[in-house]
Amino acid sequence: MSALLELYGVSKAFGGLRVTHDVNVALRGGDRVALIGPNGAGKTTLVNLITGQLKPDAGRIVLAGRDVTRASVEARVRLGLVRTFQITRLFSSLTALENVALAVLQHRGRTRNWLRPVAKMTSEVEEAQRLLEIVGIGELGTRSVVALAYGHQRQLELAVALALEPKVLLLDEPAAGVPHDEAPRILEAIARLPQDIAVLMIEHDMDLVFRFAQRVLVLANGEVIFQGTPAEVAGDAYVRRAYLGSYADARRQS
Amino acid sequence: MATRAGPSGIASGLLSPELLGFLVVWALGTVGYVLFPDDLAFLTRIVSIAFLVLSLDLVTGYCGVATLGHAALFGIAAYAAGNAARAGWADPLVLLAIGALVGAVSGLATGALIARFRGLPQLVLTIAVGQLVAALCNKLGWLTGGSDGLSDYTVGPLFGRIAFDMYGRVAFLMSVAILAVVFALLLRIVRSPFGLLTRAIKDDTVKARMIGASIYPRLVAMYGLSGAVAGIGGALGAITAGVVGLDGVSFERSASALVMLVLGGAGNLWGALAGTLVFHVFEHLVSTANPFHWMSLVGAMLILVVVFAPRGLSFGAIVLWSKLRARSP
Amino acid sequence: MRTVASIALDATCYGMTLFMISVGLSVMMGLMRIVNLAHGAFAMIGGYIASYASVSLGLNYAIAIPLAALCTILVALPLEVVLYRRLYANSDALTQLLLTIGITFLIIGVANYVFGPTLKKIPLPASLSGPFDIGFRMLPTHRIFVLACGCATALALWLLLERTEFGIRVRAAVDNAGMAEALGIRTSRIYLATFCIAVGLAAFGGVVGAELLPIEPYYALRYMVIFLVVVSAGGAGSIAGAFLASMLLGLADTTGKYLMPEFGEFFFYSAVILIVAIFPNGLLGREH
């Protein structure tokens, strides 16, 4: 299977500050990759470069065989590149079901329709309901987003992402800010993602990384300093020094 | 909020929101017609302004574009209709169509500029565009009659048969009929995928792009629709009042429309309608006494609304209503 | 040649007047990030008070000006405590517009109830009303006074923000309110002080500029958006930007009105559209 997402020598600097340097990554269908690194390593910047919210100074980004380096955010989404945010972003004046239904409608190119009530677009609404059930909040569709618990909002954000039928899904700390007892629900939802898509997840929680990822990318000072299986990463002295060291220390103390 | 019910909460079993809107406008119109037969000209003016406020709601309430220059669209269309009548196009329905068309084109043109920006620059551009249009209307006296207004035109009978009577009955009923149709149509549009998407854009532009939506063309399209609605209102004013003045493009008109909208509740077409009505009734009751008392009272009312009902009177009423209902078993 | 000189002088004076009134709003908008349409109303209050002080109380012009600024601050203070404070945390532009329009209307209504709905004169002292010899020609002394006041305002404000402890705190709060708060800077006090300075400057500019922008019942409504427009074109929070924008827009407006008076504010707002479309954050503003 050929790569769905390829980065070739992607670099970015803000003024004199190098935030991403010569990143080369390839994701294939079915990949489950974790992106880890200390704070300020440039993880979110890298995600923003991939989605097009930032434009790289150098390098190429190829999505499903097409060069999208200069493509707009929305063009990349239409090609199957979808992300979630570290702090949940949803449409706060819409209900949960409307959030997902809108994504389904947009994905199917039906948002130009201005005369047919959304409620009558049965196939899209049913699809939205199905997605809510997949992520485990099927009974919350009528709730307004602001009335949802934060954990449920994170699940909803996943459902919105799934509605766009991503080929590549970027998850920016999907469990961040979620109370401990709600975290397993997020994990279940992630485990139920379609098998054939490529998923890149930024995550701090090493337990989550070990359970989720087949492969781990370690980012430090904007560079990928190591790639390997979770076990290899954990065993590498260099990575330990750069990142896991402080993490391991913190765990020992707690 | 029943009026905003999405796919999950189909508003009511029996009546669709569109039909409900259509009937309520007619019911209000009938009440006005029966109770205030001597004030039909004033009521017709309210209907004409209601189009402007609905139009404003489309861009401000549904797309999040705060504008203080929206009267430009209303006024340009009014002048267009007046000039068309002057050129011999006497049929009121043709004049309305011209108003809608000119309004839509003006909306697309100004929207194409304004939708490129956000926040303060956007607000200032709406003001500047509005003021520019006002200055031009003042200057182009051969088109607008300058400060005297445009009044040397006549409008023919409705459907070629029903002449406008001196009591303003035909004018009022025609206005109500058009408002009912347009209101129902707008209620439908805001429930459509397009309407849903514009609300999403207002909530979070970044997220809207992240579901693959192109923001700019949607905002411009909505500006076009909004222009058409404002244009119908402007043309209606020109047809029923028999005069088009500079007040139609003035900053005061833009600002008062915004006041009416926020008073009623932006982001809700019912709120736009309610705000227009409440504002005018209030104005009618107070301003006859003293224009400065009127300003003090409007000012005080605005402050109270911001402090106590920041989402508008209609939303405040809904909250109050549900609280009262919750209290009584 | 004479016309060019007249335009230049009038444009500079008009620009200075715009600057004196707008600069307070600019500092306020840079710091608190609120759209305040009531700023002109504070200038109007200043004008009304100065007029009352000099006409009815017979006070000297030199006393009437500071008195007007002080009294306007006193009048505006409760508004800050009760109303404006709500807006600082609220980024909803619609709420800000509505509230400040409401305040403007209320001020217009009350001012006219108290002082009557007529044009208010602020008589100039003899020393300012005659011509002034600048060597090669005569100029109205009052114009020179306006220019001097404008320069003094710019200088004083610059010194305040760049050279005092207060200025450091203000600039820290502009850069990052949360961080400033964490460092122990009481932002609510800074906001209050800034509000007072802004209102005082508005009143000062309103009085000094009354010859160019006459004090009348609908002053606050007539000039409601002009000051906002100047601030936006210059860049919120930038003194130099407010100065530059005032001068440019003053020039556009005065030139237009001299050469093609029937176009009204056409040139002013054309310039505004050009500036804002090319520099969305204002001429010297920073991106927020």
Side-chain angles (χ1 to χ4, degrees), chain A residues 53 73-74 77-78 83 85 89 91-94 98 102 106 110-111 113-118 121 142 157 164, chain B residues 4 6-8 185 188-189 191-194 196-197 199-200 203-204 206-214 218:
Chain A
Q53 284 159 289
V73 169
E74 50 270 30
V77 175
R78 288 175 205 149
R83 77 170 289 183
F85 291 87
R89 294 187 91 133
F91 304 119
S92 55
S93 72
L94 312 188
E98 281 175 324
L102 178 63
Q106 175 63 42
R110 304 200 63 178
T111 47
N113 188 323
W114 55 288
L115 279 177
R116 188 135 179 242
V118 173
M121 301 186 123
T142 56
E157 200 182 16
L164 304 167
Chain B
R4 264 214 193 165
S8 44
L185 185 67
R188 182 141 187 127
I189 292 172
R191 292 202 301 144
S192 72
F194 173 66
L196 196 63
L197 177 57
R199 277 163 58 196
D203 282 349
D204 187 342
V206 174
K207 182 70 181 182
R209 296 181 73 194
M210 278 300 158
I211 63 166
S214 309
R218 299 310 153 97

Short mmCIF file of all heavy atoms in Angstrom, two decimals, chain A residues 53 73-74 77-78 83 85 89 91-94 98 102 106 110-111 113-118 121 142 157 164, chain B residues 4 6-8 185 188-189 191-194 196-197 199-200 203-204 206-214 218:
data_model
loop_
_atom_site.label_atom_id
_atom_site.label_comp_id
_atom_site.label_asym_id
_atom_site.label_seq_id
_atom_site.Cartn_x
_atom_site.Cartn_y
_atom_site.Cartn_z
N GLN A 53 -2.68 25.20 7.97
CA GLN A 53 -2.90 26.43 8.74
C GLN A 53 -1.63 27.26 8.75
O GLN A 53 -1.67 28.47 8.90
CB GLN A 53 -3.33 26.08 10.16
CG GLN A 53 -4.77 25.64 10.21
CD GLN A 53 -5.05 24.84 11.46
OE1 GLN A 53 -4.59 23.72 11.60
NE2 GLN A 53 -5.80 25.43 12.39
N VAL A 73 -6.33 25.01 3.45
CA VAL A 73 -6.79 24.10 4.50
C VAL A 73 -7.97 23.28 4.01
O VAL A 73 -7.98 22.04 4.12
CB VAL A 73 -7.22 24.92 5.75
CG1 VAL A 73 -7.95 24.03 6.74
CG2 VAL A 73 -6.02 25.58 6.40
N GLU A 74 -8.97 23.98 3.45
CA GLU A 74 -10.20 23.26 3.11
C GLU A 74 -10.00 22.30 1.94
O GLU A 74 -10.62 21.24 1.89
CB GLU A 74 -11.36 24.24 2.86
CG GLU A 74 -11.09 25.37 1.90
CD GLU A 74 -10.53 26.62 2.59
OE1 GLU A 74 -9.84 26.49 3.62
OE2 GLU A 74 -10.78 27.73 2.08
N VAL A 77 -8.68 19.20 3.45
CA VAL A 77 -9.75 18.45 4.13
C VAL A 77 -10.52 17.64 3.10
O VAL A 77 -10.82 16.46 3.30
CB VAL A 77 -10.69 19.40 4.89
CG1 VAL A 77 -11.86 18.63 5.47
CG2 VAL A 77 -9.94 20.15 5.97
N ARG A 78 -10.81 18.26 1.97
CA ARG A 78 -11.59 17.56 0.95
C ARG A 78 -10.82 16.39 0.37
O ARG A 78 -11.41 15.46 -0.16
CB ARG A 78 -12.00 18.54 -0.16
CG ARG A 78 -13.08 19.50 0.31
CD ARG A 78 -13.39 20.53 -0.74
NE ARG A 78 -13.94 21.74 -0.10
CZ ARG A 78 -13.77 22.97 -0.56
NH1 ARG A 78 -13.05 23.17 -1.67
NH2 ARG A 78 -14.29 23.99 0.06
N ARG A 83 -8.27 16.88 11.08
CA ARG A 83 -7.63 16.97 12.39
C ARG A 83 -8.64 17.25 13.48
O ARG A 83 -9.75 17.73 13.22
CB ARG A 83 -6.59 18.09 12.41
CG ARG A 83 -7.21 19.47 12.52
CD ARG A 83 -6.18 20.55 12.79
NE ARG A 83 -5.65 20.45 14.15
CZ ARG A 83 -4.78 21.32 14.66
NH1 ARG A 83 -4.33 22.31 13.92
NH2 ARG A 83 -4.35 21.18 15.89
N PHE A 85 -8.56 19.18 17.57
CA PHE A 85 -7.75 20.19 18.25
C PHE A 85 -7.45 19.80 19.68
O PHE A 85 -8.20 19.06 20.31
CB PHE A 85 -8.47 21.54 18.22
CG PHE A 85 -8.54 22.14 16.85
CD1 PHE A 85 -9.58 21.82 15.99
CD2 PHE A 85 -7.56 23.01 16.41
CE1 PHE A 85 -9.65 22.37 14.73
CE2 PHE A 85 -7.63 23.57 15.15
CZ PHE A 85 -8.67 23.24 14.29
N ARG A 89 -12.72 22.11 19.50
CA ARG A 89 -13.40 23.15 18.73
C ARG A 89 -14.63 22.54 18.10
O ARG A 89 -14.53 21.59 17.32
CB ARG A 89 -12.48 23.70 17.63
CG ARG A 89 -11.29 24.42 18.17
CD ARG A 89 -10.53 25.05 17.04
NE ARG A 89 -11.01 26.41 16.83
CZ ARG A 89 -10.19 27.45 16.69
NH1 ARG A 89 -8.90 27.28 16.71
NH2 ARG A 89 -10.67 28.65 16.51
N PHE A 91 -19.00 23.65 16.95
CA PHE A 91 -19.90 24.78 16.67
C PHE A 91 -20.87 24.90 17.84
O PHE A 91 -21.79 24.10 17.99
CB PHE A 91 -20.61 24.56 15.35
CG PHE A 91 -19.64 24.35 14.22
CD1 PHE A 91 -19.63 23.18 13.50
CD2 PHE A 91 -18.71 25.32 13.92
CE1 PHE A 91 -18.72 22.99 12.47
CE2 PHE A 91 -17.79 25.15 12.90
CZ PHE A 91 -17.79 23.97 12.17
N SER A 92 -20.64 25.92 18.66
CA SER A 92 -21.27 25.94 19.98
C SER A 92 -22.76 26.28 19.93
O SER A 92 -23.47 25.98 20.87
CB SER A 92 -20.54 26.92 20.89
OG SER A 92 -20.50 28.19 20.28
N SER A 93 -23.24 26.89 18.85
CA SER A 93 -24.67 27.20 18.85
C SER A 93 -25.49 26.08 18.21
O SER A 93 -26.70 26.17 18.13
CB SER A 93 -24.93 28.53 18.13
OG SER A 93 -24.75 28.37 16.74
N LEU A 94 -24.81 25.02 17.77
CA LEU A 94 -25.54 23.90 17.17
C LEU A 94 -25.65 22.74 18.16
O LEU A 94 -24.89 22.65 19.12
CB LEU A 94 -24.81 23.40 15.91
CG LEU A 94 -24.36 24.42 14.87
CD1 LEU A 94 -23.85 23.69 13.63
CD2 LEU A 94 -25.47 25.37 14.49
N GLU A 98 -26.39 18.21 14.97
CA GLU A 98 -26.19 19.20 13.90
C GLU A 98 -24.72 19.36 13.55
O GLU A 98 -24.36 19.52 12.38
CB GLU A 98 -26.78 20.57 14.31
CG GLU A 98 -28.28 20.64 14.17
CD GLU A 98 -28.86 21.94 14.70
OE1 GLU A 98 -28.35 22.45 15.72
OE2 GLU A 98 -29.83 22.44 14.13
N LEU A 102 -23.73 18.53 9.81
CA LEU A 102 -23.14 19.56 8.97
C LEU A 102 -21.88 19.04 8.29
O LEU A 102 -21.66 19.26 7.10
CB LEU A 102 -22.82 20.81 9.79
CG LEU A 102 -22.16 21.93 9.00
CD1 LEU A 102 -23.08 22.44 7.91
CD2 LEU A 102 -21.75 23.08 9.92
N GLN A 106 -21.37 18.73 4.39
CA GLN A 106 -20.25 19.39 3.75
C GLN A 106 -19.42 18.37 2.96
O GLN A 106 -19.04 18.61 1.82
CB GLN A 106 -19.39 20.08 4.82
CG GLN A 106 -18.11 20.70 4.31
CD GLN A 106 -18.37 21.83 3.32
OE1 GLN A 106 -19.26 22.64 3.51
NE2 GLN A 106 -17.59 21.87 2.24
N ARG A 110 -23.20 19.07 -0.07
CA ARG A 110 -24.60 19.49 -0.11
C ARG A 110 -24.86 20.79 0.64
O ARG A 110 -26.01 21.18 0.82
CB ARG A 110 -25.47 18.37 0.47
CG ARG A 110 -25.25 17.05 -0.26
CD ARG A 110 -26.37 16.10 -0.07
NE ARG A 110 -27.62 16.62 -0.64
CZ ARG A 110 -28.76 15.95 -0.64
NH1 ARG A 110 -28.80 14.75 -0.12
NH2 ARG A 110 -29.84 16.47 -1.16
N THR A 111 -23.81 21.48 1.07
CA THR A 111 -24.06 22.72 1.83
C THR A 111 -24.39 23.90 0.92
O THR A 111 -24.63 24.99 1.39
CB THR A 111 -22.86 23.11 2.71
OG1 THR A 111 -21.67 23.00 1.93
CG2 THR A 111 -22.76 22.23 3.92
N ASN A 113 -26.97 23.70 -0.85
CA ASN A 113 -28.42 23.63 -0.88
C ASN A 113 -29.00 24.60 0.14
O ASN A 113 -28.69 24.51 1.32
CB ASN A 113 -28.86 22.20 -0.56
CG ASN A 113 -30.34 22.00 -0.76
OD1 ASN A 113 -31.14 22.89 -0.48
ND2 ASN A 113 -30.70 20.85 -1.26
N TRP A 114 -29.85 25.51 -0.33
CA TRP A 114 -30.36 26.50 0.61
C TRP A 114 -31.88 26.48 0.71
O TRP A 114 -32.48 27.37 1.27
CB TRP A 114 -29.84 27.89 0.26
CG TRP A 114 -30.12 28.34 -1.14
CD1 TRP A 114 -29.51 27.86 -2.27
CD2 TRP A 114 -31.06 29.30 -1.59
NE1 TRP A 114 -30.01 28.47 -3.37
CE2 TRP A 114 -30.95 29.38 -3.00
CE3 TRP A 114 -31.96 30.14 -0.93
CZ2 TRP A 114 -31.74 30.24 -3.75
CZ3 TRP A 114 -32.74 31.00 -1.69
CH2 TRP A 114 -32.62 31.04 -3.09
N LEU A 115 -32.50 25.46 0.16
CA LEU A 115 -33.96 25.43 0.24
C LEU A 115 -34.53 24.21 0.95
O LEU A 115 -35.70 24.18 1.30
CB LEU A 115 -34.56 25.53 -1.17
CG LEU A 115 -34.60 26.96 -1.71
CD1 LEU A 115 -35.13 27.00 -3.11
CD2 LEU A 115 -35.44 27.87 -0.79
N ARG A 116 -33.70 23.20 1.15
CA ARG A 116 -34.23 21.98 1.76
C ARG A 116 -33.84 21.96 3.23
O ARG A 116 -32.66 22.10 3.55
CB ARG A 116 -33.62 20.78 1.03
CG ARG A 116 -34.22 19.49 1.43
CD ARG A 116 -34.51 18.61 0.21
NE ARG A 116 -35.06 17.37 0.70
CZ ARG A 116 -34.48 16.20 0.51
NH1 ARG A 116 -33.37 16.13 -0.21
NH2 ARG A 116 -35.02 15.13 1.00
N PRO A 117 -34.79 21.80 4.14
CA PRO A 117 -34.42 21.75 5.57
C PRO A 117 -33.49 20.58 5.84
O PRO A 117 -33.66 19.49 5.28
CB PRO A 117 -35.76 21.55 6.28
CG PRO A 117 -36.79 22.00 5.32
CD PRO A 117 -36.25 21.73 3.95
N VAL A 118 -32.53 20.83 6.70
CA VAL A 118 -31.59 19.77 7.08
C VAL A 118 -32.35 18.56 7.61
O VAL A 118 -32.01 17.41 7.32
CB VAL A 118 -30.60 20.30 8.14
CG1 VAL A 118 -29.73 19.18 8.67
CG2 VAL A 118 -29.74 21.41 7.55
N MET A 121 -33.17 15.92 5.22
CA MET A 121 -32.11 15.22 4.50
C MET A 121 -31.79 13.95 5.28
O MET A 121 -30.75 13.83 5.94
CB MET A 121 -30.91 16.15 4.34
CG MET A 121 -31.32 17.41 3.58
SD MET A 121 -29.95 18.46 3.21
CE MET A 121 -30.06 18.58 1.45
N THR A 142 -29.51 15.51 20.64
CA THR A 142 -30.33 16.72 20.72
C THR A 142 -29.73 17.76 21.64
O THR A 142 -30.21 18.89 21.69
CB THR A 142 -31.74 16.39 21.24
OG1 THR A 142 -31.58 15.73 22.50
CG2 THR A 142 -32.49 15.51 20.29
N GLU A 157 -16.20 15.58 18.83
CA GLU A 157 -15.23 16.10 17.87
C GLU A 157 -14.70 14.95 16.98
O GLU A 157 -14.48 15.13 15.79
CB GLU A 157 -14.09 16.81 18.59
CG GLU A 157 -13.34 17.75 17.65
CD GLU A 157 -12.16 18.46 18.30
OE1 GLU A 157 -11.72 18.02 19.37
OE2 GLU A 157 -11.67 19.43 17.71
N LEU A 164 -16.16 13.25 7.97
CA LEU A 164 -15.46 13.71 6.77
C LEU A 164 -14.74 12.57 6.08
O LEU A 164 -14.00 12.79 5.12
CB LEU A 164 -14.47 14.81 7.16
CG LEU A 164 -15.13 16.00 7.89
CD1 LEU A 164 -14.08 16.88 8.53
CD2 LEU A 164 -15.99 16.80 6.94
N ARG B 4 -35.29 27.41 16.42
CA ARG B 4 -34.01 27.09 15.84
C ARG B 4 -33.80 25.59 15.76
O ARG B 4 -32.70 25.12 15.58
CB ARG B 4 -32.92 27.65 16.76
CG ARG B 4 -32.42 28.98 16.32
CD ARG B 4 -31.01 28.95 16.70
NE ARG B 4 -30.46 30.29 16.61
CZ ARG B 4 -29.32 30.60 17.17
NH1 ARG B 4 -28.66 29.71 17.85
NH2 ARG B 4 -28.85 31.80 17.02
N GLY B 6 -33.06 22.02 15.15
CA GLY B 6 -32.28 21.45 14.09
C GLY B 6 -32.85 20.14 13.65
O GLY B 6 -34.03 19.87 13.88
N PRO B 7 -32.04 19.32 13.03
CA PRO B 7 -32.53 18.07 12.49
C PRO B 7 -33.13 17.18 13.57
O PRO B 7 -34.06 16.42 13.31
CB PRO B 7 -31.28 17.43 11.90
CG PRO B 7 -30.13 18.16 12.46
CD PRO B 7 -30.62 19.52 12.79
N SER B 8 -32.62 17.35 14.79
CA SER B 8 -33.04 16.42 15.83
C SER B 8 -34.37 16.84 16.45
O SER B 8 -35.12 16.01 16.91
CB SER B 8 -31.97 16.37 16.90
OG SER B 8 -31.54 17.68 17.18
N LEU B 185 -39.84 32.16 3.56
CA LEU B 185 -38.71 31.70 2.74
C LEU B 185 -37.41 31.74 3.54
O LEU B 185 -36.61 30.79 3.52
CB LEU B 185 -38.60 32.58 1.49
CG LEU B 185 -37.55 32.15 0.47
CD1 LEU B 185 -37.94 30.82 -0.16
CD2 LEU B 185 -37.38 33.21 -0.60
N ARG B 188 -37.04 29.06 6.00
CA ARG B 188 -36.65 27.81 5.34
C ARG B 188 -35.13 27.82 5.07
O ARG B 188 -34.45 26.84 5.30
CB ARG B 188 -37.42 27.67 4.04
CG ARG B 188 -37.12 26.39 3.32
CD ARG B 188 -38.37 25.84 2.71
NE ARG B 188 -38.12 24.53 2.17
CZ ARG B 188 -38.84 23.48 2.48
NH1 ARG B 188 -39.82 23.58 3.34
NH2 ARG B 188 -38.59 22.31 1.92
N ILE B 189 -34.66 28.96 4.57
CA ILE B 189 -33.25 29.03 4.21
C ILE B 189 -32.35 28.82 5.42
O ILE B 189 -31.34 28.12 5.34
CB ILE B 189 -32.94 30.38 3.51
CG1 ILE B 189 -33.62 30.42 2.15
CG2 ILE B 189 -31.43 30.58 3.35
CD1 ILE B 189 -33.56 31.76 1.45
N ARG B 191 -32.86 27.04 7.86
CA ARG B 191 -32.87 25.63 8.28
C ARG B 191 -32.16 24.72 7.30
O ARG B 191 -32.04 23.52 7.52
CB ARG B 191 -34.32 25.15 8.43
CG ARG B 191 -35.07 25.79 9.57
CD ARG B 191 -36.24 24.94 9.99
NE ARG B 191 -37.18 24.70 8.91
CZ ARG B 191 -37.83 23.54 8.75
NH1 ARG B 191 -37.64 22.54 9.58
NH2 ARG B 191 -38.69 23.41 7.76
N SER B 192 -31.73 25.28 6.19
CA SER B 192 -31.10 24.48 5.14
C SER B 192 -29.64 24.21 5.50
O SER B 192 -29.10 24.83 6.41
CB SER B 192 -31.16 25.24 3.82
OG SER B 192 -30.26 26.32 3.86
N PRO B 193 -29.00 23.31 4.77
CA PRO B 193 -27.56 23.10 5.00
C PRO B 193 -26.77 24.40 4.89
O PRO B 193 -25.86 24.65 5.67
CB PRO B 193 -27.18 22.12 3.88
CG PRO B 193 -28.43 21.38 3.59
CD PRO B 193 -29.54 22.37 3.79
N PHE B 194 -27.13 25.24 3.92
CA PHE B 194 -26.45 26.53 3.77
C PHE B 194 -26.59 27.37 5.04
O PHE B 194 -25.61 27.94 5.55
CB PHE B 194 -27.04 27.26 2.55
CG PHE B 194 -26.56 28.67 2.37
CD1 PHE B 194 -25.24 28.93 2.06
CD2 PHE B 194 -27.44 29.74 2.52
CE1 PHE B 194 -24.80 30.24 1.90
CE2 PHE B 194 -27.01 31.05 2.35
CZ PHE B 194 -25.68 31.29 2.04
N LEU B 196 -27.26 26.31 8.06
CA LEU B 196 -26.52 25.65 9.14
C LEU B 196 -25.04 25.99 9.05
O LEU B 196 -24.38 26.29 10.05
CB LEU B 196 -26.74 24.14 9.04
CG LEU B 196 -26.39 23.30 10.27
CD1 LEU B 196 -27.26 23.70 11.44
CD2 LEU B 196 -26.55 21.81 9.96
N LEU B 197 -24.53 25.97 7.82
CA LEU B 197 -23.10 26.25 7.63
C LEU B 197 -22.77 27.69 8.02
O LEU B 197 -21.74 27.94 8.65
CB LEU B 197 -22.70 25.98 6.18
CG LEU B 197 -21.24 26.30 5.84
CD1 LEU B 197 -20.29 25.52 6.75
CD2 LEU B 197 -20.94 25.98 4.39
N ARG B 199 -24.20 29.49 10.27
CA ARG B 199 -24.14 29.57 11.73
C ARG B 199 -22.85 28.97 12.25
O ARG B 199 -22.25 29.46 13.21
CB ARG B 199 -25.35 28.85 12.33
CG ARG B 199 -26.59 29.72 12.38
CD ARG B 199 -27.83 28.90 12.58
NE ARG B 199 -27.78 28.11 13.81
CZ ARG B 199 -28.59 27.08 14.06
NH1 ARG B 199 -29.50 26.74 13.18
NH2 ARG B 199 -28.49 26.42 15.18
N ALA B 200 -22.41 27.90 11.59
CA ALA B 200 -21.15 27.28 11.99
C ALA B 200 -19.99 28.24 11.76
O ALA B 200 -19.09 28.34 12.58
CB ALA B 200 -20.95 25.98 11.21
N ASP B 203 -19.88 30.65 14.49
CA ASP B 203 -19.36 30.08 15.74
C ASP B 203 -17.84 29.98 15.73
O ASP B 203 -17.18 30.31 16.70
CB ASP B 203 -19.94 28.66 15.95
CG ASP B 203 -21.36 28.71 16.46
OD1 ASP B 203 -21.80 29.80 16.85
OD2 ASP B 203 -22.01 27.66 16.48
N ASP B 204 -17.28 29.44 14.66
CA ASP B 204 -15.85 29.15 14.65
C ASP B 204 -15.38 28.99 13.20
O ASP B 204 -15.57 27.96 12.58
CB ASP B 204 -15.58 27.87 15.44
CG ASP B 204 -14.08 27.61 15.61
OD1 ASP B 204 -13.28 28.19 14.86
OD2 ASP B 204 -13.73 26.83 16.51
N VAL B 206 -12.31 28.83 12.02
CA VAL B 206 -11.23 27.86 11.84
C VAL B 206 -11.81 26.45 11.72
O VAL B 206 -11.45 25.69 10.83
CB VAL B 206 -10.24 27.95 13.02
CG1 VAL B 206 -9.20 26.84 12.91
CG2 VAL B 206 -9.58 29.31 13.04
N LYS B 207 -12.73 26.14 12.63
CA LYS B 207 -13.31 24.80 12.60
C LYS B 207 -14.11 24.60 11.31
O LYS B 207 -14.11 23.50 10.75
CB LYS B 207 -14.23 24.61 13.83
CG LYS B 207 -14.86 23.24 13.93
CD LYS B 207 -13.84 22.17 14.27
CE LYS B 207 -14.49 20.80 14.33
NZ LYS B 207 -13.52 19.75 14.72
N ALA B 208 -14.79 25.65 10.87
CA ALA B 208 -15.56 25.52 9.63
C ALA B 208 -14.65 25.15 8.46
O ALA B 208 -14.99 24.32 7.63
CB ALA B 208 -16.31 26.82 9.34
N ARG B 209 -13.47 25.77 8.41
CA ARG B 209 -12.53 25.39 7.36
C ARG B 209 -12.07 23.96 7.56
O ARG B 209 -11.79 23.24 6.60
CB ARG B 209 -11.33 26.34 7.35
CG ARG B 209 -11.69 27.77 7.02
CD ARG B 209 -10.47 28.65 7.00
NE ARG B 209 -9.65 28.38 5.83
CZ ARG B 209 -8.39 28.81 5.70
NH1 ARG B 209 -7.82 29.48 6.65
NH2 ARG B 209 -7.72 28.55 4.61
N MET B 210 -11.98 23.55 8.82
CA MET B 210 -11.49 22.21 9.12
C MET B 210 -12.51 21.12 8.77
O MET B 210 -12.20 19.94 8.86
CB MET B 210 -11.15 22.11 10.61
CG MET B 210 -9.79 22.64 10.92
SD MET B 210 -8.56 21.71 10.00
CE MET B 210 -7.25 22.90 10.00
N ILE B 211 -13.75 21.49 8.47
CA ILE B 211 -14.64 20.47 7.92
C ILE B 211 -14.72 20.63 6.40
O ILE B 211 -15.56 20.02 5.75
CB ILE B 211 -16.05 20.48 8.57
CG1 ILE B 211 -16.77 21.79 8.29
CG2 ILE B 211 -15.97 20.20 10.05
CD1 ILE B 211 -18.25 21.72 8.62
N GLY B 212 -13.83 21.44 5.86
CA GLY B 212 -13.72 21.53 4.41
C GLY B 212 -14.56 22.62 3.77
O GLY B 212 -14.70 22.66 2.55
N ALA B 213 -15.12 23.52 4.59
CA ALA B 213 -15.98 24.56 4.03
C ALA B 213 -15.15 25.76 3.57
O ALA B 213 -14.20 26.14 4.25
CB ALA B 213 -17.00 25.01 5.07
N SER B 214 -15.51 26.34 2.43
CA SER B 214 -14.89 27.60 2.01
C SER B 214 -15.70 28.73 2.60
O SER B 214 -16.90 28.84 2.35
CB SER B 214 -14.88 27.71 0.49
OG SER B 214 -14.34 26.53 -0.07
N ARG B 218 -19.27 31.68 0.89
CA ARG B 218 -20.54 31.55 1.61
C ARG B 218 -20.96 32.88 2.21
O ARG B 218 -22.13 33.24 2.19
CB ARG B 218 -20.43 30.49 2.72
CG ARG B 218 -20.11 29.13 2.19
CD ARG B 218 -21.06 28.80 1.06
NE ARG B 218 -20.47 27.88 0.13
CZ ARG B 218 -20.67 26.58 0.14
NH1 ARG B 218 -21.43 26.07 1.07
NH2 ARG B 218 -20.08 25.80 -0.74
#
